């Protein structure tokens, strides 16, 4: 297995209203790609009688037309483990026309609502 061995769903957030007019957030898979997921740092904190953990990861995917509009409102879901990563920053390649160009996504695990 190579560097881009994880099957990933790139999901866009869509907001609709329910029958009472309240905002309803759903996630739509825009693309399914091969990518790499690398843990960078993690921490745990005991706050209000709960253990809160945080995991920062770097996700690397190939650049392409389908995902050229990726931004921090999107998220990444690992197709195998179903772990969800909220995108905090997108590092676009300087030379997008070169073959095998990659995008780096700096993410934190699962902070968004999952509806």
């Amino acid at each position: 297995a190579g560097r881009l061995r994880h099957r990933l769903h790139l999901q866009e957030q869509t907001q609709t209203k329910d029958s009472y007019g309240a905002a309803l957030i759903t996630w739509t898979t825009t693309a399914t790609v091969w990518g790499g997921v690398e843990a960078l740092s993690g921490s745990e904190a005991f706050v209000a009688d709960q253990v809160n953990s945080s995991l920062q990861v770097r996700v690397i995917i190939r650049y392409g037309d389908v995902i050229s509009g990726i931004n921090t409102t999107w998220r990444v879901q690992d197709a195998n483990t179903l772990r969800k990563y909220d995108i905090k920053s997108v590092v676009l390649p300087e030379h997008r026309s070169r073959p095998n160009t990659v995008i780096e996504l700096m993410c934190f695990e699962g902070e968004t609502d999952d509806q």
Side-chain angles (χ1 to χ4, degrees):
R3 181 179 179 194
L4 306 179
R5 65 182 177 275
H6 299 272
R7 199 68 176 150
L8 305 172
H9 301 297
L10 302 178
Q11 299 178 331
E12 282 187 89
Q13 181 181 19
T14 54
Q15 190 170 354
T16 58
K17 294 191 185 275
D18 65 10
S19 60
Y20 298 105
L24 182 65
I25 296 172
T26 56
W27 293 92
T28 305
T29 299
T30 302
T32 301
V33 298
W34 289 101
V37 179
E38 174 185 345
L40 298 177
S41 66
S43 64
E44 284 187 349
F46 189 73
V47 179
D49 293 331
Q50 293 183 355
V51 176
N52 296 326
S53 62
S54 174
L55 177 64
Q56 182 180 11
V57 298
R58 176 188 298 131
V59 176
I60 298 176
I61 56 176
R62 285 194 180 93
Y63 180 80
D65 291 335
V66 175
I67 55 173
S68 61
I70 196 166
N71 59 53
T72 57
T73 62
W74 292 33
R75 76 176 181 188
V76 177
Q77 181 181 31
D78 189 309
N80 294 323
T81 65
L82 301 181
R83 293 174 94 166
K84 297 167 186 77
Y85 305 104
D86 300 327
I87 299 173
K88 298 300 178 187
S89 67
V90 178
V91 181
L92 290 172
E94 192 173 311
H95 304 285
R96 297 181 186 119
S97 61
R98 292 184 183 164
N100 298 322
T101 302
V102 296
I103 296 175
E104 283 188 27
L105 307 172
M106 303 308 289
C107 304
F108 283 96
E109 184 174 18
E111 297 175 355
T112 56
D113 291 333
D114 191 32
Q115 294 182 351

